[in-house]
Amino acid sequence: MGKLLKITIIGVFLALLGERIVHFIHRINLGREIEPIELPNCQLLDGIEHGSEDIEILPNGLAFISSGLKYPGMFSFAPNRPGEIFLLDLNDKKLRPSSLRISRGFDVSTFSPHGLSIYIDESGDTVYLFVVNHPHISKSTVEIFKFDDDENVLVHLKTIKHASLHSVNDVVAVGPESFYATNDHYFNDFFLRSVGMFLGLRWTNVMYYSPSDVREVATGFYSANGMAMSTDKRFIYVADVSGKTINVFEKHANWSLSPVKVVQMETLLDNLSVDPVTGDIWTAAHPNGFKVFMYNAEDPPGSEVIRVQNIHSDNPVVTTIYANNGSVLQASTCAVIWEGNLLVGTIFHKALHCKLE
Ligand SMILES: *[C@@H]1O[C@H](CO)[C@@H](O)[C@H](O)[C@H]1NC(C)=O
Ligand SMILES: *[C@@H]1O[C@H](CO)[C@@H](O)[C@H](O)[C@H]1NC(C)=O
């Protein structure tokens, strides 16, 4: 090969690499700092010290909080402590979360709960809690529990594993055994996934799962993460964390999804939830993705809570409701609303309750 050709090839390679690095820095908001926005009536929840990755609230004000996620590449204050699900009654002013008992036969020692979703059957009597679990590094299952509210116990019903559910992040339950899940297409290996993320490959998707039908229903996300369903159940919202977008899909009778619109944000959205009364989307986000992956107690990752109103209109209104540099709350993942109560969860840190005006 001629010397000139070699130099040209190396030059092109370096230019491409440089372009990918710039793209990556932009996607993870490296170096971004935030202005604090405070809320008046907030308190940290007692007893939650090792994460509150996802939060789901029942119509009666009982909140489920997943805690103790162990995930490759993610910091943890208690790497050897099994995960748990807390129950918090928002009607009780004391706001005391308690760790829920899980029925015998389920291996709690390897429990690493991630996304949650609630499904209430048509009679309204049975509450199913779907929990994304990572019982081993590089392994994902979806655990289905029934919530027994007399005994305050989660009764384990079923473990769902499937070859095409490699690496699940979040679920939206749409039946007693069926759900949508955000998922990594090809890799459950953290290193390969990180390389994919660095290169900006859109390697994650949304799967539909039922016992008789498993298929991909949406694809092309950098890093599909949180998901939620509109109050009228017609739309599914998917957060692309490193694409910094909310993706709106219409849901069809055969469970397929068709894209409606994409709303670009400035921050790295983690989980989405929908205000049951107004239909607004609430999300917590990572102001700076680099600080989440490279945890430094001296300069911790911060938290941001965002509200998106009128997402279906031509001009959705995006408002930052709360922003903190990590001095109070680190690495927020979800923001959930119930009757003027705001709960904010985090990957590995505490959980915040605020009474909204
Ligand atoms: C995001 O939130 C949804 C719904 O609130 C939950 O089901 C999911 O597990 C969460 N996922 C992550 C990655 O936090
Ligand atoms: C975070 O903000 C607090 C007060 O709001 C300030 O005292 C602290 O120095 C800030 N920390 C960092 C790492 O910037």
Side-chain angles (χ1 to χ4, degrees):
M1 212 174 353
K3 201 168 179 186
L4 190 62
L5 184 59
K6 270 191 215 156
I7 291 174
T8 309
I9 291 172
I10 292 170
V12 167
F13 175 75
L14 290 178
L16 284 176
L17 185 67
E19 188 272 336
R20 285 294 93 182
I21 290 173
V22 170
H23 187 74
F24 180 68
I25 286 174
H26 176 69
R27 273 187 296 113
I28 67 165
N29 281 350
L30 186 86
R32 179 168 175 253
E33 299 291 341
I34 46 168
E35 286 299 313
I37 297 176
E38 293 186 7
L39 283 174
N41 304 306
C42 294
Q43 65 177 96
L44 293 166
L45 294 177
D46 272 348
I48 298 191
E49 305 288 339
H50 306 112
S52 46
E53 221 302 293
D54 202 11
I55 303 178
E56 287 277 317
I57 308 177
L58 286 172
N60 65 8
L62 285 181
F64 297 101
I65 304 173
S66 67
S67 181
L69 174 68
K70 254 75 67 194
Y71 198 63
M74 230 23 120
F75 179 78
S76 170
F77 285 114
N80 298 317
R81 186 188 161 108
E84 53 202 321
I85 306 283
F86 285 92
L87 185 71
L88 171 69
D89 185 354
L90 288 169
N91 302 289
D92 181 352
K93 297 225 163 23
K94 286 197 232 91
L95 293 173
R96 289 261 162 75
S98 59
S99 180
L100 269 175
R101 198 154 59 79
I102 296 181
S103 65
R104 258 191 271 172
F106 178 74
D107 182 4
V108 288
S109 71
T110 60
F111 195 29
S112 180
H114 200 169
L116 304 175
S117 184
I118 288 168
Y119 180 77
I120 303 175
D121 74 352
E122 271 144 38
S123 68
D125 294 338
T126 310
V127 172
Y128 297 90
L129 185 69
F130 287 53
V131 184
V132 176
N133 186 18
H134 303 289
H136 302 287
I137 273 187
S138 300
K139 182 168 166 198
S140 296
T141 60
V142 176
E143 309 292 346
I144 304 179
F145 297 94
K146 191 174 81 167
F147 175 53
D148 175 344
D149 60 351
D150 294 327
E151 303 283 330
N152 271 356
V153 57
L154 288 174
V155 181
H156 186 247
L157 301 178
K158 203 164 176 177
T159 296
I160 292 174
K161 277 184 272 196
H162 191 276
S164 52
L165 295 170
H166 287 288
S167 170
V168 181
N169 193 308
D170 198 10
V171 282
V172 167
V174 291
E177 292 189 35
S178 54
F179 55 85
Y180 290 106
T182 51
N183 176 57
D184 203 297
H185 238 322
Y186 301 108
F187 295 121
N188 50 12
D189 179 275
F190 177 69
F191 175 72
L192 289 177
R193 199 167 29 192
S194 306
V195 171
M197 192 167 164
F198 170 71
L199 292 174
L201 303 178
R202 299 175 177 238
W203 268 350
T204 64
N205 62 5
V206 177
M207 299 292 296
Y208 170 73
Y209 176 94
S210 77
S212 57
D213 179 16
V214 184
R215 66 196 135 102
E216 181 178 79
V217 288
T219 187
F221 307 96
Y222 291 110
S223 189
N225 196 319
M227 255 194 311
M229 186 153 55
S230 63
T231 46
D232 60 10
K233 300 191 176 4
R234 283 181 55 206
F235 298 97
I236 295 283
Y237 307 121
V238 180
D240 186 340
V241 59
S242 57
K244 298 185 271 188
T245 53
I246 297 180
N247 300 260
V248 180
F249 292 91
E250 186 171 1
K251 173 166 132 319
H252 301 287
N254 67 357
W255 305 104
S256 68
L257 298 179
S258 53
V260 175
K261 71 193 304 189
V262 178
V263 181
Q264 185 70 46
M265 314 284 283
E266 271 179 53
T267 181
L268 281 78
L269 311 176
D270 198 315
N271 231 342
L272 302 178
S273 70
V274 173
D275 182 324
V277 178
T278 61
D280 296 344
I281 298 179
W282 286 73
T283 171
H286 307 293
N288 177 325
F290 186 76
K291 292 190 189 180
V292 177
F293 291 112
M294 300 287 161
Y295 185 78
N296 170 5
E298 303 291 308
D299 184 18
S303 294
E304 257 178 315
V305 173
I306 313 278
R307 181 185 64 198
V308 184
Q309 294 169 300
N310 305 325
I311 188 141
H312 295 284
S313 76
D314 288 339
N315 297 303
V317 181
V318 179
T319 312
T320 304
I321 301 289
Y322 174 80
N324 174 261
N325 67 4
S327 59
V328 177
L329 200 66
Q330 304 178 359
S332 57
T333 53
C334 61
V336 189
I337 291 285
W338 180 80
E339 293 191 1
N341 294 269
L342 167 67
L343 285 174
V344 188
T346 63
I347 304 176
F348 48 75
H349 195 236
K350 301 167 192 250
L352 188 72
H353 172 271
C354 301
K355 196 85 192 155
L356 299 178
E357 312 276 75

